[in-house]
Amino acid sequence: MTLSFEDGNSLFDFVVKDGNGIKGLVDSGIVEVPEIFIQPLDERIEKVDEKGSKEHFLTVPIDLSKLDGPDHDQVVNDIVTAAKTLGFFQAINHGMSLDLLESLKDAAHQFFAQPPEAKAVYLKGVSRSPLVKYATSFTAEKDKALEWRDYVSMLYTHDGDALEHWPKECKEVALDYMKLSAKMIRRLVEILIRNLGVNLEDSRLEALIGLKIVNMNYYPTCPNPELTVGAGRHSDTSTITMLLQDDIGGLQVRVEEDIVAGRKEEWIEIPPIPGALVVNLGDVLQILSNGRYKSGEHRVRTTSKQSRVSIPAFCSPRPTEKIGPLPQQVELDGGPLYREVIFQDYMTHFLGNAHEGKNCLDFVKINKI
Ligand code: OGA
Ligand code: NI
């Protein structure tokens, strides 16, 4: 079956509003990418060496089990170094079984393999569950060009709700994954904040990771990968995100230009490592640390070879939580780089605007004259 669309609007409706997704479009047999997915020149992604970079913390995963042994200090040091530079690292011995990781990828494939009608019940506005949203692209209505990705987003409130409302194809594994990720993320936040010389109370730590969401991303094969992006460049608004990617590859992180070190800006691949999870800091840790830690700017390229799945677990502050640079850090630095914001307002700003790298942080940045 080859579909024909009179204009971009009917194509947009087919993909986004009717819930066929990019997957539905690809399954219809298209041989070239329609206009609405073609990225402006400066957003396109050049073909890269898929073997990835030699960036240490991206190729040599941090063994989190060593936090409980004699190498504790060294591991903390590695985590802190990654947090201050790339905002990304890979982790092994993270407390999740390989079985769970495999089941998660299978569940993601199962969810997206369903016919469009089965997924469309979770579309925004009509979703049968307030906790679940299925969509294509990120801010489809605002983006200059649509991303080449379908995703389903599941909000965690408590176990009972998840088992009742999340899609049956993936709810059990996604719930296990969410809980184990949250445990790990809590530990990492504690380590990172303590390293700034601050001991947060348990209740504040909990509040900083109190909003928990698991997504499943599906990136169908793309006939013209050089014209599209799977996910446009952005940083996550979370406190910390944990991400499982399959073995296809395509996730890239931006390394900022460093004039002093004589290094140009570049995008480097985060190579898939069997059994490892990708950990990335979100904007919240950059704000709390007054810029000491970096939220990593990242994007995903598409490929013509095979469809790809990834499963991020985002831990963010509770929506009512006030976020700002920690007073101890501000004192040390001689002033705040960011103003205080209620996390809900930060999210609303993020969701209401097309993504452009880390520009959401500008919303809270204090401009020095
Ligand atoms: C995201 C994201 C990366 C990936 O969902 O926020 O950045 O590899 N995903 O899919
Ligand atoms: Ni992301």
Side-chain angles (χ1 to χ4, degrees), residues 109-124:
H109 278 288
Q110 259 180 44
F111 179 83
F112 289 99
Q114 297 180 95
E117 316 79 79
K119 293 178 277 188
V121 296
Y122 297 112
L123 281 171
K124 199 170 145 195

Side-chain angles (χ1 to χ4, degrees), residues 223-236:
N224 308 101
E226 67 290 353
L227 299 179
T228 56
V229 301
R233 58 198 179 87
H234 68 281
S235 54
D236 296 346

Side-chain angles (χ1 to χ4, degrees), residues 8-305:
N9 278 347
S10 58
L11 175 62
F12 185 91
D13 287 355
F14 173 84
V15 172
V16 178
K17 295 215 176 122
D18 304 339
N20 290 287
I22 311 279
K23 177 152 195 319
L25 186 66
V26 171
D27 289 348
S28 80
I30 53 151
V31 291
E32 67 179 20
V33 164
E35 185 92 25
I36 58 171
F37 300 100
I38 300 182
Q39 294 291 326
L41 281 174
D42 55 355
E43 295 297 329
R44 294 184 197 170
I45 303 178
E46 276 169 39
K47 186 113 186 63
V48 287
D49 174 6
E50 288 172 23
K51 290 204 191 65
S53 66
K54 294 178 200 68
E55 205 68 39
H56 184 70
F57 291 116
L58 301 182
T59 51
V60 181
I62 297 180
D63 183 344
L64 294 181
S65 67
K66 290 193 178 161
L67 282 170
D68 299 316
D71 295 335
H72 174 90
D73 291 356
Q74 180 56 44
V75 178
V76 167
N77 201 24
D78 287 350
I79 293 169
V80 166
T81 305
K84 285 182 175 170
T85 52
L86 286 174
F88 264 86
F89 63 90
Q90 302 219 52
I92 50 163
N93 294 327
H94 35 57
M96 290 187 215
S97 69
L98 291 182
D99 261 7
L100 174 60
L101 303 188
E102 286 310 309
S103 312
L104 275 162
K105 289 180 273 183
D106 290 348
H109 278 288
Q110 259 180 44
F111 179 83
F112 289 99
Q114 297 180 95
E117 316 79 79
K119 293 178 277 188
V121 296
Y122 297 112
L123 281 171
K124 199 170 145 195
V126 304
S127 182
R128 63 158 70 136
S129 160
L131 308 178
V132 182
K133 189 179 89 170
Y134 158 70
T136 287
S137 201
F138 198 79
T139 32
E141 269 82 6
K142 301 250 166 52
D143 290 343
K144 285 190 216 111
L146 296 191
E147 295 174 330
W148 198 259
R149 104 167 128 160
D150 301 330
Y151 68 96
V152 62
S153 189
M154 296 166 270
L155 172 68
Y156 178 78
T157 43
H158 57 80
D159 293 9
D161 265 358
L163 294 173
E164 187 179 340
H165 293 289
W166 289 7
K168 61 177 183 325
E169 294 71 26
C170 55
K171 62 185 180 187
E172 268 108 10
V173 281
L175 183 57
D176 280 352
Y177 179 63
M178 182 75 259
K179 290 204 275 193
L180 292 168
S181 296
K183 209 168 140 193
M184 191 93 40
I185 288 174
R186 188 192 152 122
R187 186 143 195 219
L188 293 172
V189 175
E190 201 174 2
I191 287 171
L192 287 168
I193 303 244
R194 193 177 299 141
N195 191 265
L196 299 173
V198 179
N199 268 318
L200 291 182
E201 291 193 1
D202 274 4
S203 58
R204 169 86 166 141
L205 260 177
E206 276 308 316
L208 287 174
I209 60 160
L211 177 64
K212 303 183 174 85
I213 294 175
V214 190
N215 280 9
M216 290 188 164
N217 293 313
Y218 187 82
Y219 303 92
T221 52
C222 179
N224 308 101
E226 67 290 353
L227 299 179
T228 56
V229 301
R233 58 198 179 87
H234 68 281
S235 54
D236 296 346
T237 53
S238 60
T239 306
I240 291 187
T241 306
M242 201 136 225
L243 177 129
L244 171 64
Q245 65 169 335
D246 64 16
D247 54 2
I248 309 296
L251 174 59
Q252 303 184 334
V253 58
R254 178 168 170 251
V255 182
E256 280 172 37
E257 179 181 43
D258 184 340
I259 297 170
V260 181
R263 189 173 177 153
K264 286 215 201 98
E265 179 209 84
E266 65 176 323
W267 286 92
I268 48 184
E269 294 262 318
I270 303 186
I273 299 177
L277 288 166
V278 176
V279 177
N280 70 284
L281 276 70
D283 292 346
V284 170
L285 269 174
Q286 179 161 337
I287 296 169
L288 288 172
S289 68
N290 208 30
R292 200 55 59 102
Y293 298 138
K294 305 277 185 292
S295 64
E297 182 174 341
H298 53 288
R299 67 183 186 186
V300 178
R301 68 176 165 77
T302 55
T303 138
S304 57
K305 288 183 208 138

